[in-house]
Each structure stands twice: as structure tokens, then as C-alpha cells.
Amino acid sequence: MQPKTYEKDNNTTPVNLIIDIGNTTAKVAFFDKGEMLCRLRTDTDHLVELLKNDNHTTQCRQAIVSTTANLPTSLTQLTENLKIKTLWLNYQTRLPFVNDYKTPQTLGPDRVAAVAGAMNTWPEENVLVIDAGSCITYDLLTADGHYKGGNISPGIKMRLRAMNEHTVRLPLVTTDGELPPMGHDTQTALRAGSLMGVKYEIEGYIHYLYKGYTNGRVVLTGGDADILKDLLPKTAVCDNHLVLRGLDFILQYNEKHI
């Protein structure tokens, strides 16, 4: 779904501010009644500056912030100055699903948000969420609204870097280039070993989902989702904004259950 253009207007309904902070980059989105109106991306150091200069920010009534890095103090000051009611996502946040993870305090907020996004988009379905980023995470949400847990494995680029950094002669290759089923030189062997290895790994998890759960669905998200989507079965749905949608859903849920 492509977000529509959003222009500042005195009669515009106040919107939700969604902030997802990673180690080096931050994603910002504005939602109105569950619909994404605008999205932005910046490096973490310039997040507050971006928000100060964007006219959408002054129209926000509430916000949610998810971060896997240190939270900028200036961001807290900004939301307080603008009188934006802010929900700081953590393991104590009320969630729209039952979290069966034994150590919820160690569960990444991006994983929580992705599961929430899956629940909102595909309610009452068994969903396997695959987030392909620096690491690849596999998270299972059951149709009765329980998060059953998940697994973490190295991402594509991490695999390629590891083979280069932990050996003497293997070069660092990129994901771009020829991708035969079996490599015919060192470059293609490394690329195919990583990409096809991830493909077969994901197919194994998909088999696990379909074997154990009826009405199963697979959703792919994350920075490397576009690289993988053409390698996977057509039954896998790609949603590059699942985390942002999930954060908005969590914010809406908490607003209704105050």
C-alpha cells in the first residue's frame, strides 16, 4: 500500500507519530486511523532535527517510540515541549497479543512490533514473521493470539562478511551478481552459499509452519526482504513497513485500553 501525500492543514485530524530507532538509522511515519500518511528515514543523529523541521510533527497528538539503541535525550525533550503524549515501547508495554516468551525483557522491540503488525493485518491466522535484516528473525504468532517465540540467525550480509573476516583468502562479495544453484568459482560459491543457504533455511521454517499449523501465512519484512522475495515461494507475502504498522497498532491498542 502506497502512502498518500499529506499536507498540513488547520482542519487536519491529529495523527500518530511512529518512531523506530535502529543502531544507525531511524524510521519515522505518520498514521491516521491506521493508514500510513507519510514515512521518512534518517540517520539516528539527525532524528530530532528532522522532526523539528517537519510540519507533520506539530499535528501529532500521540507517539510511540521503539529503539534498539540508546534513546536520544533530546527526543524526550522534544516530545515534552510539543506536548505529544508518548509511549516508550518496552517489555512492560500492554500488547494486543499474549507474549509467551520466557524472558520478555530480552525480546527486541522490533520483533514485538512486527508480530503486532502481523496480528493487525492477518487476525486469527497463524503467521510466521521473517524479518531479514542484519540478523534474520523468525517469529510465530498463533491464530489464538499467542506469540510462541522465535529464532535468530545471521543475516545475508553478516554471512558474507564472516567468511571474509574469519578466513585468510576468501574475498568479500556482494549480493549483486550471478546466482547459480551451485557456484562455479569462488565469487559465485560465496554468494550462492549465503543466499541459497538462507533460502533453504527459510523454506525449512515454512515447512515447519505448514506442518504444525493450519491456515498458515508467511510474511517477509526487513532490509533484505526485497533480495529474498523472488527466491521464496509465492505464498510468502512481503511487507516492508510491517514494523511501522505494528507500532501504530500497539499505540492504538494502548489508547483504547487506558
Side-chain angles (χ1 to χ4, degrees):
M1 180 179 69
Q2 293 296 320
K4 65 183 180 182
T5 303
Y6 183 62
E7 301 295 341
K8 183 175 180 179
D9 189 311
N10 292 332
N11 297 320
T12 299
T13 303
V15 298
N16 291 344
L17 170 60
I18 312 300
I19 303 175
D20 178 26
I21 303 173
N23 291 318
T24 57
T25 62
K27 297 176 184 177
V28 176
F30 300 89
F31 280 77
D32 179 18
K33 297 183 178 65
E35 180 182 2
M36 186 187 295
L37 306 173
C38 177
R39 61 180 179 271
L40 306 166
R41 185 185 184 100
T42 184
D43 60 89
T44 304
D45 293 337
H46 293 91
L47 171 62
V48 173
E49 181 183 350
L50 179 147
L51 291 172
K52 284 181 179 179
N53 295 325
D54 194 289
N55 61 9
H56 298 81
T57 307
T58 58
Q59 298 170 354
C60 294
R61 56 191 170 94
Q62 59 180 359
I64 183 170
V65 179
S66 167
T67 178
T68 57
N70 293 327
L71 185 67
T73 304
S74 53
L75 178 60
T76 306
Q77 295 172 343
L78 176 65
T79 57
E80 289 177 352
N81 291 340
L82 293 174
K83 295 182 171 57
I84 300 175
K85 180 181 176 182
T86 304
L87 176 64
W88 309 93
L89 181 62
N90 59 44
Y91 74 97
Q92 295 176 315
T93 302
R94 190 190 303 266
L95 299 174
F97 55 85
V98 179
N99 189 353
D100 291 337
Y101 211 59
K102 290 185 177 180
T103 56
Q105 69 276 13
T106 68
L107 183 60
D110 50 342
R111 295 174 67 187
V112 170
V115 170
M119 184 178 193
N120 186 41
T121 307
W122 300 282
E124 300 182 2
E125 291 190 31
N126 298 300
V127 184
L128 176 65
V129 179
I130 303 173
D131 192 337
S134 298
C135 288
I136 302 174
T137 57
Y138 302 89
D139 293 293
L140 179 62
L141 175 72
T142 55
D144 59 356
H146 280 251
Y147 169 64
K148 306 305 290 185
N151 292 341
I152 305 172
S153 71
I156 298 170
K157 296 180 180 67
M158 186 181 295
R159 297 177 194 219
L160 291 169
R161 286 198 304 271
M163 288 188 288
N164 169 247
E165 293 173 2
H166 294 281
T167 64
V168 176
R169 296 184 177 180
L170 291 179
L172 178 63
V173 302
T174 68
T175 57
D176 297 325
E178 188 181 358
L179 186 65
M182 289 293 197
H184 49 69
D185 57 24
T186 301
Q187 295 273 338
T188 54
L190 289 167
R191 184 179 301 114
S194 296
L195 281 166
M196 300 305 289
V198 169
K199 165 185 163 64
Y200 298 139
E201 176 180 299
I202 291 176
E203 288 177 343
Y205 280 103
I206 294 174
H207 175 73
Y208 163 78
L209 174 69
Y210 291 154
K211 182 179 179 181
Y213 298 89
T214 59
N215 193 29
R217 183 180 295 275
V218 179
V219 57
L220 181 66
T221 191
D224 287 338
D226 288 335
I227 297 175
L228 290 172
K229 65 181 180 182
D230 293 333
L231 298 177
L232 297 177
K234 299 304 179 183
T235 52
V237 177
C238 187
D239 185 345
N240 292 321
H241 308 298
L242 187 68
V243 169
L244 295 175
R245 300 187 204 283
L247 289 172
D248 182 63
F249 183 44
I250 293 172
L251 183 57
Q252 291 183 64
Y253 180 82
N254 278 265
E255 182 182 24
K256 293 176 182 177
H257 293 83
I258 293 176

